[in-house]
Amino acid sequence: MTLRVGVLGYRFMGKAHANAMARLPMFFPDAPDVERHVLVGRDEEALADAADRLGFETTSTDWESAIDDVDVFYNLGPNHVHAEPSIAALERGVPVLSEKPLANDLASAERMADAAADAGVPTATAFNYRYVPALRYAKNLIDDGELGEIRHFRGRYLQDWLADPDAPWSWRNSEEMAGSGALGDLGAHTIDLARFLVGNVERVSGHCQTFVDERPVEGEDETRPVTVDDAYSAQAELEDGAMATFEASRFATGHKNDHTVEVHGSKGSLKFSLERMNELEVLREDSRGYETVLVTDADDPYVDHWWPPGHVLGWEHTFVHEDYEFLSAVESGEEYHPNFEDGAAVQRVLDAIQRSDAEAEWVDVA
Ligand code: SOE
């Protein structure tokens, strides 16, 4: 059976997922047969061009009719567009992948998770960094007890694309549309990795900061207010008593897409950097220092689908792994993680950090 996929959104994430689907037949021969069936958007001319470039059969400017014509729906729109089309698709029994964060506010995320539970079909929240082979390898080390009792998780996601005050306004600067800034855009990834590698976040103390409070509108002679954070930091307690620190910024000059994770346990530690995404620094019990493991051996996660040892992978491969696993779950009907409940769990932490910042005190995660 061919899975007809409908995709809402055709810019950055549209290209990442269309590329991933195109790679499946060549590198994952046991993946479901997938047709990039309909591309959904508003601008008919831009949509037609995108459909041609991204390999879609048809286009539609009406998501409600599109979801009646597909076997899987990918919602890659801005955060405030995640809830309504995804819930409508789920009510029709159509599995949904939503880009992260799950929504622009907690209530919408909870409605999406409830709709997913009611529908009983696979859902995905697109936390693609779970699919970095080195982070899968890290999870296996932790789950096998190689690090002992986990005491610390430290996650940091630094970018600098808004350090220029003249960088134009976008939906990512709007609380109404995005829900938050660096916190939800970048922090959602790091908080999900904390859940993936160590455990749930139980309470937080957070700080959100906006450095530039209005930005020029591209092509217009006007500015719009920035109503979200440009950066955040938080300290947290994870289940089983581990301590966590989280940080993200869009103003970290010199850092382009610098996502780092460190975990310290009673028997060992590990360090990961997205800028060296094929490597994991590992400190094992009784060793004098960290060793650099190049996670590209044939028996390392996903590597056997690609190239011989040392022929490194890139950022886009995480989407291939993610779409392979999700679309395989859609075909088999098996449960998939990270799903909408995982997305809602991250949204509860985002909400708690915003409440803590507003109340200037520690806050339990709902
Ligand atoms: C923000 O610049 C961004 O594109 C995020 O939205 C993505 O989730 C992240 O993977 C890369 O940076």
Side-chain angles (χ1 to χ4, degrees), residues 141 146-147 263-265 267-271 280-291:
L141 287 176
E146 295 272 323
L147 269 58
V263 181
H264 305 306
K267 290 166 60 179
S269 292
L270 59 84
K271 294 191 285 189
L280 190 71
E281 303 281 332
V282 182
L283 177 81
R284 299 180 189 276
E285 193 172 22
D286 303 329
S287 62
R288 290 282 303 272
Y290 284 87
E291 65 169 313

Side-chain angles (χ1 to χ4, degrees), residues 12-13 99-100 126 128-129 157 159 161 172 185-186 189 250 256-257 274 315 319:
F12 185 14
M13 285 297 112
E99 264 301 328
K100 41 50 63 185
N128 61 298
Y129 296 118
Y157 203 152
Q159 297 182 344
W161 59 285
R172 294 174 189 267
D185 190 17
L186 304 177
H189 279 301
R250 293 163 162 172
K256 300 307 172 188
N257 196 27
L274 184 59
W315 181 80
F319 290 86

Side-chain angles (χ1 to χ4, degrees), residues 29-239:
D30 65 333
D33 185 29
V34 171
E35 177 193 281
R36 279 159 275 160
H37 183 64
V38 55
L39 190 61
V40 181
R42 287 178 300 180
D43 178 326
E44 292 199 6
E45 186 179 340
L47 197 54
D49 171 61
D52 183 47
R53 276 185 297 108
L54 301 181
F56 282 80
E57 296 297 315
T58 61
T59 64
S60 171
T61 56
D62 171 19
W63 61 261
E64 282 199 279
S65 63
I67 60 178
D68 284 328
D69 185 32
V70 298
D71 303 303
V72 196
F73 177 57
Y74 275 50
N75 192 332
L76 312 181
N79 301 349
H80 68 293
V81 175
H82 290 177
E84 190 186 359
S86 299
I87 291 170
L90 288 168
E91 287 170 346
R92 289 162 171 79
V94 175
V96 180
L97 174 144
S98 170
E99 264 301 328
K100 41 50 63 185
L102 190 58
N104 57 334
D105 60 43
L106 180 54
S108 300
E110 299 285 17
R111 285 193 299 116
M112 293 172 75
D114 291 346
D118 293 344
V121 296
T123 55
T125 307
F127 292 121
N128 61 298
Y129 296 118
R130 287 194 183 202
Y131 292 101
V132 175
L135 286 174
R136 288 268 151 165
Y137 183 88
K139 179 167 179 55
N140 294 339
L141 287 176
I142 292 169
D143 290 354
D144 292 347
E146 295 272 323
L147 269 58
E149 290 295 313
I150 303 304
R151 308 295 187 207
H152 294 275
F153 174 95
R154 190 173 305 106
R156 196 186 69 164
Y157 203 152
L158 304 181
Q159 297 182 344
D160 66 4
W161 59 285
L162 283 183
D164 177 355
D166 293 329
W169 186 94
S170 77
W171 66 265
R172 294 174 189 267
N173 299 124
S174 157
E175 181 174 26
E176 183 185 354
M177 299 174 84
S180 62
L183 171 63
D185 190 17
L186 304 177
H189 279 301
T190 314
I191 292 162
D192 176 65
L193 286 180
R195 296 190 68 246
F196 179 57
L197 295 172
V198 180
N200 285 317
V201 181
E202 296 197 335
R203 67 189 191 113
V204 297
S205 171
H207 173 213
C208 300
Q209 182 72 33
T210 303
F211 299 115
V212 171
D213 55 16
E214 66 174 346
R215 289 186 174 274
V217 178
E218 200 152 31
E220 309 282 341
D221 186 20
E222 64 172 279
T223 64
R224 281 194 195 146
V226 174
T227 53
V228 295
D229 59 283
D230 289 320
Y232 91 101
S233 68
Q235 57 181 340
E237 181 172 353
L238 306 186
E239 68 180 294

